[in-house]
Amino acid sequence: MKLIETSSFHTVMGVLLVGWTGIVLASLFWILSQEWDNARELAKTEARANFNKDLGFRLWATEHGGVYVPISEQTQPSPYLSHIPERDITTPAGRHLTLMNPAYMVRQMMEGFADLYGVRGRITSLLPLNPDNAADEWETKALLAFEKGSEEAFEFTKTNGAPVLRLMRPMVTEEGCLKCHAHQGYQIGDIRGGVGVSVSMMPYKKLYDMEARNLAMVHGTIWSLGTFILGLGWVFGARRVAASHAADQLLHLKNAELERSNQELKQFAHVSSHDLKEPLRMVTSYLQLLERKCENRLDGEAKEYIDFAISGSRRMSMLIEDLLTFANVKTDPDRFDPVDAGKELAQALEILRPRIEQAGAAVVQSPLPRVRADRSQLLQLFQNLVSNALKYRHADRLPEVRISARISGTLATFTVRDNGIGIEPHFAERIFVIFQRLHGREAYDGTGVGLAICKKIVERHGGKIWVESDGQSGSAFHFTLPV
């Protein structure tokens, strides 16, 4: 019996270890996938911008019926325009000119000047005048899709081993196109071919790789801390499980020992956080001393490296503190008391008074009801939401925060409304996920844990939290609590 129960305990702890590892890896891979999706979207935006540039150039040429240019070694009369009577003309001054149609012009520009802006393009067709414009396999599929109504095609592939984005949109036959292509049977409105661009993904991949390294370091630290704590729990728990089998009369003692073990682990978490932050503080201090002592001997790049190191240490310290706060949010229904929400809000505003005065903010508080809640967590909830309103204030107006509530049945719905920068509606769910940030660290500091803590507090009280915003005129955070 003892062997079976001890074995079960080790199995559970092994599952917890595997689960913890899976959670950290899932978080890492999910965030990395989001980063890569963002990089791909930026590449698409760049490709579309360059496509529109090429399109404008081609439309201008079409509107003017092409352009006559001097015949040169680079620009010879096009044999594919020989059906045009005035393909070649001679000026009264004796200069020999040849007609360049839009396709000839765009192709020459793409071949000769693509290196100037790092994006390569080309025109293609299923019935090209110039065999050099014949479609490859992917372009053929895209052109056939255009004829069925598709308006855009793209793929992420490799060219000479380097990742690229290929994008193509259809060329629609216009009246000016018939000058060169009417003999092919095209009519106005027909899909005559496609214009494509290729964008190198290397710059985006370099940024992604740098962010991936940073995320891997953060997740590795979190995983190591959690695994260390779990390992101690494994060791201590195994001893207590083994000791608990001595006799049935020791059952209560076993429960007391397990409770004490939990308290030890909690204490260990706090001690570990101190032990982790102390070296970070030391690293920051010595880097600052090094910067002051060697100020006249350091070039700009060295100073930038030191600033990066100091900034990284501070972010790690904030992350450890916020993770501990998030992990310690526990709600015991037996500890719920009738709480005056107005008093807790007033206390939160008093704590934030220096920041409120520094920002020149106006905080308007309506009468708030009494609710059943954990007093300290309700205080933290108000403090986090008002602090966020101050942090994400609009640069062109003084911040204004309004807190109100209404009762419906057994629930009170609280609203914290601000006039800040707002949140795009499609990010309304993402902001409550731990580590999710909508802005770079250069714009706003923080770790992406604050709103996750708010969500955890509200849900542990049996309520829900959400945000409403049009992305321009501020945000309104709503949450419910039992009255």
Side-chain angles (χ1 to χ4, degrees):
M1 180 66 177
K2 175 179 178 180
L3 179 62
I4 294 175
E5 292 185 3
T6 302
S7 175
S8 298
F9 172 77
H10 287 295
T11 299
V12 170
M13 294 303 297
V15 170
L16 288 176
L17 179 59
V18 172
W20 167 244
T21 302
I23 289 172
V24 174
L25 289 176
S27 171
L28 176 61
F29 290 133
W30 187 84
I31 296 176
L32 288 177
S33 70
Q34 295 297 308
E35 293 292 334
W36 185 239
D37 287 344
N38 291 339
R40 287 160 66 107
E41 286 302 318
L42 289 173
K44 289 181 188 178
T45 300
E46 181 183 0
R48 291 180 181 125
N50 281 278
F51 171 87
N52 289 332
K53 173 187 63 61
D54 293 343
L55 176 62
F57 183 77
R58 183 175 62 82
L59 291 177
W60 180 90
T62 300
E63 181 180 345
H64 291 79
V67 176
Y68 283 97
V69 300
I71 298 174
S72 64
E73 181 178 352
Q74 181 183 8
T75 306
Q76 291 291 313
S78 173
Y80 311 108
L81 301 179
S82 59
H83 60 282
I84 299 177
E86 296 183 343
R87 181 195 67 175
D88 303 318
I89 63 174
T90 301
T91 68
R95 297 183 68 191
H96 299 291
L97 305 180
T98 188
L99 177 67
M100 293 185 72
N101 69 344
Y104 194 178
M105 294 171 62
V106 172
R107 180 164 60 85
Q108 192 175 87
M109 184 192 71
M110 289 176 174
E111 291 175 352
F113 303 101
D115 291 336
L116 288 178
Y117 48 89
V119 178
R120 298 192 174 274
R122 101 187 204 97
I123 293 178
T124 186
S125 173
L126 295 176
L127 296 173
L129 282 177
N130 186 343
D132 290 340
N133 293 335
D136 62 22
E137 182 179 356
W138 177 79
E139 290 169 337
T140 299
K141 292 180 181 178
L143 293 171
L144 292 174
F146 295 157
E147 293 181 353
K148 296 179 181 179
S150 180
E151 296 182 354
E152 183 179 77
F154 65 88
E155 74 163 353
F156 291 91
T157 183
K158 287 188 176 182
T159 300
N160 298 325
V164 297
L165 162 65
R166 299 181 70 185
L167 180 139
M168 180 183 288
R169 287 183 176 176
M171 283 194 302
V172 180
T173 302
E174 301 175 0
E175 184 175 354
C177 303
L178 298 179
K179 178 178 179 179
C180 302
H181 298 277
H183 71 287
Q184 293 180 286
Y186 287 113
Q187 298 180 4
I188 295 176
D190 289 345
I191 302 299
R192 187 165 54 82
V195 179
V197 294
S198 296
V199 176
S200 172
M201 293 295 294
M202 287 304 298
Y204 299 100
K205 187 176 185 302
K206 289 179 180 178
L207 291 175
Y208 169 80
D209 290 343
M210 182 174 66
E211 188 65 20
R213 287 192 293 271
N214 293 336
L215 289 170
M217 290 177 60
V218 171
H219 281 73
T221 302
I222 295 172
W223 179 84
S224 299
L225 178 61
T227 301
F228 188 42
I229 295 174
L230 190 61
L232 286 179
W234 196 330
V235 173
F236 293 152
R239 292 174 180 174
R240 283 161 175 74
V241 169
S244 68
H245 297 302
D248 290 339
Q249 61 267 29
L250 298 179
L251 178 60
H252 293 293
L253 178 61
K254 184 191 75 169
N255 290 335
E257 289 174 346
L258 288 175
E259 178 64 25
R260 188 161 53 252
S261 175
N262 289 334
Q263 292 299 324
E264 290 173 357
L265 289 174
K266 184 176 180 180
Q267 181 64 26
F268 169 78
H270 286 284
V271 172
S272 295
S273 71
H274 178 271
D275 290 344
L276 284 172
K277 288 193 292 185
E278 186 60 32
L280 289 174
R281 282 194 292 267
M282 183 179 67
V283 169
T284 302
S285 298
Y286 276 99
L287 284 171
Q288 291 172 336
L289 287 174
L290 176 63
E291 184 179 25
R292 287 197 296 269
K293 185 173 182 179
C294 303
E295 181 177 4
N296 297 328
R297 286 176 285 172
L298 296 175
D299 58 16
E301 188 175 19
K303 292 180 180 179
E304 185 178 9
Y305 290 161
I306 292 176
D307 290 341
F308 282 155
I310 293 173
S311 177
S313 298
R314 288 172 177 166
R315 285 201 303 271
M316 180 62 73
S317 180
M318 291 172 58
L319 181 62
I320 293 170
E321 194 67 38
D322 287 349
L323 283 174
L324 284 172
T325 302
F326 182 81
N328 287 332
V329 174
K330 298 179 180 178
T331 305
D332 182 359
D334 294 335
R335 293 183 56 191
F336 285 1
D337 297 314
V339 177
D340 186 337
K343 290 184 178 180
E344 299 309 312
L345 174 59
Q347 185 175 349
L349 296 179
E350 184 62 29
I351 295 173
L352 296 172
R353 179 175 299 280
R355 290 187 58 189
I356 294 173
E357 292 177 350
Q358 181 184 10
V363 181
V364 180
Q365 174 184 349
S366 300
L368 302 182
R370 296 175 66 83
V371 293
R372 286 185 55 80
D374 183 308
R375 188 182 306 275
S376 63
Q377 292 185 8
L378 180 59
L379 171 64
Q380 185 176 15
L381 178 60
F382 280 132
Q383 189 173 337
N384 283 8
L385 292 177
V386 175
S387 177
N388 261 20
L390 297 175
K391 178 192 295 187
Y392 298 104
R393 58 184 181 269
H394 199 285
D396 297 332
R397 50 181 176 259
L398 290 176
E400 182 177 290
V401 186
R402 295 181 177 272
I403 304 97
S404 60
R406 57 182 175 83
I407 296 177
S408 177
T410 60
L411 290 177
T413 301
F414 292 82
T415 299
V416 178
R417 188 181 304 275
D418 63 62
N419 64 342
I421 62 175
I423 299 167
E424 293 296 335
H426 56 278
F427 291 131
E429 295 294 333
R430 176 179 170 183
I431 61 173
F432 294 104
V433 179
I434 192 168
F435 299 133
Q436 292 300 296
R437 296 170 53 88
L438 305 185
H439 307 278
R441 297 187 181 93
E442 297 80 6
Y444 299 97
D445 60 359
T447 59
V449 180
L451 287 177
I453 293 174
C454 293
K455 184 173 186 289
K456 191 173 183 181
I457 290 174
V458 171
E459 291 182 348
R460 291 291 179 90
H461 282 73
K464 63 178 182 178
I465 185 170
W466 68 99
V467 65
E468 294 178 350
S469 176
D470 60 5
Q472 296 178 349
S473 56
S475 308
F477 283 86
H478 308 281
F479 61 91
T480 60
L481 293 176
V483 297

